[in-house]
Amino acid sequence: MAATYENDNIFAKILRGLIPCHKVYEDDDAIAFMDVMPQSDGHVLVLPKAASRNLLDADPAVLAKLAPLLQRMAVAAKAAFDADGISLMQFNEGAGGQTVFHLHFHIIPRYDGVPLNAHGRGMEDPEVLAANAGKLRAALAV
Ligand code: AMP
């Protein structure tokens, strides 16, 4: 049987305001906040608010509405962190590398010749995350 959405996952709790996050952006349909274990400075997560485990069970209409925000956030992240490129990553189910089961997209600033930090390595200093969220918010406002 296919796994179903469970509303006690950590991102669902962030969406309900039960757990804090370093928020970058929010509207009626989506939220973006800093990844607490960034694979590169400025690693930000973009989530639709609608409940789905991942891409496999998402409503296509939700995906269509989210796509422009992914582009906007990628452009902002490239500018805010003076990156050479952006990796957009998204994992589906444990076998696909997913660890939190509410659909989310990783937007990660990249630099020529610089490998990514490991997925899920140590927690970043909250002051660094707050500063990076501020840089992204400023870049989004341009
Ligand atoms: P995934 O493997 O795509 O499910 O990645 C989940 C991501 O969520 C990882 O990169 C974690 O570092 C990140 N993460 C886990 N808990 C939190 C949290 N409370 N706030 C922000 N990011 C988180």
Side-chain angles (χ1 to χ4, degrees), residues 84-107:
D84 299 314
I86 293 289
S87 290
L88 172 64
M89 306 204 303
Q90 191 278 317
F91 304 105
N92 299 282
E93 300 300 335
Q98 187 176 12
T99 58
V100 180
F101 297 95
H102 179 109
L103 175 61
H104 56 280
F105 293 81
H106 300 254
I107 290 178

Side-chain angles (χ1 to χ4, degrees), residues 10-11 14 19-22 33-39 43 45 53 89-93 96-102 104-106 108 118-123 129:
I10 195 151
F11 292 169
I14 288 174
I19 291 178
C21 68
H22 293 279
F33 51 81
M34 304 312 292
D35 193 305
V36 290
M37 292 182 266
Q39 289 187 255
H43 181 167
L45 301 172
R53 281 175 71 82
M89 306 204 303
Q90 191 278 317
F91 304 105
N92 299 282
E93 300 300 335
Q98 187 176 12
T99 58
V100 180
F101 297 95
H102 179 109
H104 56 280
F105 293 81
H106 300 254
I108 308 178
H119 191 47
R121 88 192 154 123
M123 295 278 279
L129 294 173

Side-chain angles (χ1 to χ4, degrees), residues 52-104:
S52 76
R53 281 175 71 82
N54 51 46
L55 189 69
L56 304 174
D57 61 335
D59 179 346
V62 168
L63 298 174
K65 210 159 189 181
L66 192 73
L69 177 59
L70 294 174
Q71 181 188 38
R72 202 176 146 206
M73 194 64 69
V75 170
K78 186 170 182 297
F81 297 95
D82 200 19
D84 299 314
I86 293 289
S87 290
L88 172 64
M89 306 204 303
Q90 191 278 317
F91 304 105
N92 299 282
E93 300 300 335
Q98 187 176 12
T99 58
V100 180
F101 297 95
H102 179 109
L103 175 61
H104 56 280

